[in-house]
Amino acid sequence: MGSGMATLTDHISYADAQRLCTPARLWELFDGDRERLNIGHECIDRHPAGEVAVRVIHSPERGGGEELLTFGALAAAASRFGHYLADRGVAPGERVGIMLEPSLSFYAGMFGAVKRGAIAVPLFTLFGPDGLRLRIDDCSPRLLLVSPAQADIARDVPSLTTVVADEAFLAELAKYPDGYAPDTRADDLAVFQYTSGTTRELPAAVRHTHRSIVTLMIAALYGTGIRPGDRFFCPSSPAWGHGLWHGTLGPLALGVGTGAFAGRFDADRLLRALADHGITNLSAAATHYRMMKSAGTASRYRYAIRKLSFTGEPIDEATRVFAEATFGTPVCSMYGTTEVGVILASYPGAPDFVVKPGSLGKPVPNVAVEVQRPDGSRCDPDEAGEIRVRRRDRWFPTKDRGWTDAEGYFYHGGRTDDVIISAGWTISAVEVEGALLKHADVREAAVIGVPDALRGLVVKAFIVSPRRGDETFTRELQEWTRTRLAQHEYPRQVEFVTELPKTPAGKVNRKALREREAGASVPTP
């Protein structure tokens, strides 16, 4: 990137993305090549030492303060941790677990491991012993870097070597050299990423090589719209794909400082940080935007936001309207999977791309995406099918339903297992939820299909509301939905709850609701 020649970061339009973005042009953004490449070098070592790399914002329960970490500080700490690992006999290719909130120790552990040639395994800090043990048994790390708060949980896992990231740890690191020359191949493994499943069913770790940082640039450039000069923020935990790849590695690889949130998410604390730091580019989960809306404090602050993106699940209409009214710019969808990366985007910041409310956007450059019928044929516009992406000469199923419009925009129709077939009608749980969330008294909503002797399945809605849940409110919500969707799509059952089950990444866990309903329907002996 230092050659002075024009690169992909110099172009912002949708037309230029389609015309100029090629695999070869992506490689031009890096020092490494197809043979030798290291994520640690590309993300921290090669950037100006005095510039801010990460703004860590602490939750109110952690004091509400903040830390500014420069590229130089991260490079030195990561190098020292690389030497520390070598001193402890951790060899290239061995796993290093990192169970920390965003902090100097987290970034030292993450980048120090990959500079060493080891495999970094970020782990969610709220895992209990069972959730941690499942992942430890799966990836067999040589050591686990934990905070003092998680030390007892980690010690409960047999035969696991734990290192507590406290002041004594940082003092020990200071004894090592502040430079470490990485020696990794582009195809060496660098990161194991676990998806946000439940502790009862372990999702497989997605294995990423150092080369993954190059592919990631498609999402960074066109999913989050990152360009040099941006002040970027992503409140998602770096234990998950959005927070790590899109919130941390993507911006840092481009030399753009990022913002991270440490501790329990607090919407008002985020809003204040966005204003205080003049953040211009925000990428968050749909849940974060809903929580900002519910906080009721957004109007207290002045913002400099120019680009907004979201991922994780569809954003409901009321939250979209709030986000665009608050920040003054369209909120752009970024859609993909942990396995294949971002495949659809709304190109934040592109002046020639019209963001259509409710859409997932259009395919990113060099990626073929279609909505297909079960036989693999392409669906017509407005015809529902499964979203599939072309990968390694075959169509890869995303397990999401959707459709396209006449202009080639894609739309989400829910997970294939979130489609409810009731009396022969196909009903989208996401669509019913979207209608319910437009009601002023509905704070959160989740919809599943539950067994019914007559119809096979019927729609059941779980509602979080400050209003008392009674028969009058139930009938009101049923009529509200019936008049906005179709006569058969209203929730025949409504249950009012104080909270909805969520995955660790903040998505509504409909699977947990289905399992709960299945358990409740089993007669006791």
Side-chain angles (χ1 to χ4, degrees), residues 494-505:
V494 177
E495 180 177 339
F496 297 94
V497 295
T498 57
E499 62 179 358
L500 296 174
K502 305 276 180 48
T503 69

Side-chain angles (χ1 to χ4, degrees), residues 74 132 260 268 290 330 350 393 437 451 466:
L74 295 190
L132 177 60
D268 182 69
R290 282 196 290 270
D393 297 322
L437 286 166

Side-chain angles (χ1 to χ4, degrees), residues 340-354:
V340 301
V342 170
I343 60 175
L344 297 169
S346 294
Y347 294 79
D352 57 343
F353 189 89
V354 177

Side-chain angles (χ1 to χ4, degrees), residues 283-517:
S283 187
T287 299
H288 290 135
Y289 289 102
R290 282 196 290 270
M291 293 175 76
M292 284 187 271
K293 173 176 171 286
S294 297
T297 61
S299 61
R300 297 178 184 173
Y301 308 106
R302 294 175 64 86
Y303 309 100
I305 298 288
R306 295 195 298 269
K307 288 175 272 192
L308 288 176
S309 57
F310 73 94
T311 190
E313 59 185 326
I315 198 166
D316 61 274
E317 179 68 6
T319 301
R320 182 192 67 79
V321 170
F322 156 80
E324 296 185 359
T326 300
F327 300 117
T329 193
V331 58
C332 297
S333 172
M334 179 173 62
Y335 169 84
T337 71
T338 304
E339 294 80 9
V340 301
V342 170
I343 60 175
L344 297 169
S346 294
Y347 294 79
D352 57 343
F353 189 89
V354 177
V355 179
K356 284 194 175 184
S359 83
L360 300 174
K362 291 185 177 182
V364 296
N366 308 311
V367 175
V369 188
E370 288 186 359
V371 177
Q372 296 183 350
R373 304 180 182 98
D375 64 4
S377 58
R378 186 175 184 172
C379 291
D380 296 326
D382 300 320
E383 178 187 359
E386 183 176 16
I387 300 173
R388 295 175 181 170
V389 56
R390 189 79 174 171
R391 189 182 184 209
R392 299 193 186 101
D393 297 322
R394 72 178 183 89
W395 289 101
F396 181 85
T398 64
K399 298 183 180 178
D400 279 332
R401 291 181 60 80
W403 69 94
T404 60
D405 65 15
E407 295 179 279
Y409 287 80
F410 283 70
Y411 295 81
H412 194 268
R415 298 289 290 174
T416 53
D417 52 4
D418 288 330
V419 171
I420 302 165
I421 308 297
S422 180
W425 295 100
T426 299
I427 301 170
S428 165
V430 172
E431 192 172 13
V432 179
E433 288 170 0
L436 290 165
L437 286 166
K438 291 178 182 176
H439 193 288
D441 292 328
V442 174
R443 183 167 295 162
E444 292 186 273
V447 166
I448 63 171
V450 296
D452 178 79
L454 179 62
R455 296 176 176 84
L457 293 173
V458 294
V459 175
K460 179 171 183 177
F462 296 83
I463 303 294
V464 178
S465 173
R467 179 174 161 184
R468 185 168 70 92
D470 54 20
E471 290 187 12
T472 299
F473 192 15
T474 295
R475 288 194 297 271
E476 182 179 326
L477 290 176
Q478 290 172 329
E479 186 62 21
W480 173 272
T481 311
R482 181 189 284 116
T483 56
R484 281 161 176 78
L485 297 178
Q487 289 291 322
H488 61 279
E489 291 185 295
Y490 73 95
R492 294 177 183 271
Q493 297 182 27
V494 177
E495 180 177 339
F496 297 94
V497 295
T498 57
E499 62 179 358
L500 296 174
K502 305 276 180 48
T503 69
K507 300 179 188 178
V508 173
N509 192 340
R510 297 190 192 91
K511 183 171 183 287
L513 290 172
R514 285 193 291 267
E515 289 175 347
R516 196 192 79 177
E517 287 295 303

Side-chain angles (χ1 to χ4, degrees), residues 2-149:
S3 65
M5 296 176 60
T7 70
L8 291 175
T9 59
D10 297 314
H11 303 277
I12 61 174
S13 74
Y14 174 74
D16 281 342
Q18 309 309 307
R19 181 173 60 90
L20 299 174
C21 183
T22 64
R25 296 297 299 271
L26 293 173
W27 279 99
E28 292 175 1
L29 299 172
F30 297 92
D31 286 350
D33 56 35
R34 288 175 173 81
E35 293 298 320
R36 315 299 300 182
L37 187 74
N38 185 272
I39 285 177
H41 170 78
E42 302 294 349
C43 287
I44 56 174
D45 289 355
R46 66 189 182 127
H47 303 301
E51 292 188 3
V52 173
V54 185
R55 299 173 177 86
V56 180
I57 305 302
H58 292 273
S59 66
E61 66 180 3
R62 295 169 64 98
E66 56 191 53
E67 301 171 72
L68 299 183
L69 303 174
T70 64
F71 282 104
L74 295 190
S79 292
R80 289 173 173 139
F81 188 64
H83 288 294
Y84 173 92
L85 292 176
D87 205 29
R88 298 190 61 144
V90 176
E94 293 189 305
R95 275 72 61 202
V96 176
I98 305 151
M99 192 176 179
L100 296 170
E101 291 286 326
S103 59
L104 179 61
S105 293
F106 171 82
Y107 299 108
M110 176 74 201
F111 291 114
V114 298
K115 287 173 77 170
R116 170 64 182 151
I119 300 168
V121 187
L123 295 163
F124 192 46
T125 57
L126 296 184
F127 280 143
D130 291 346
L132 177 60
R133 185 178 292 111
L134 279 169
R135 288 156 179 82
I136 295 302
D137 289 345
D138 182 64
C139 69
S140 302
R142 275 295 304 275
L143 63 82
L144 174 68
L145 194 58
V146 297
S147 71

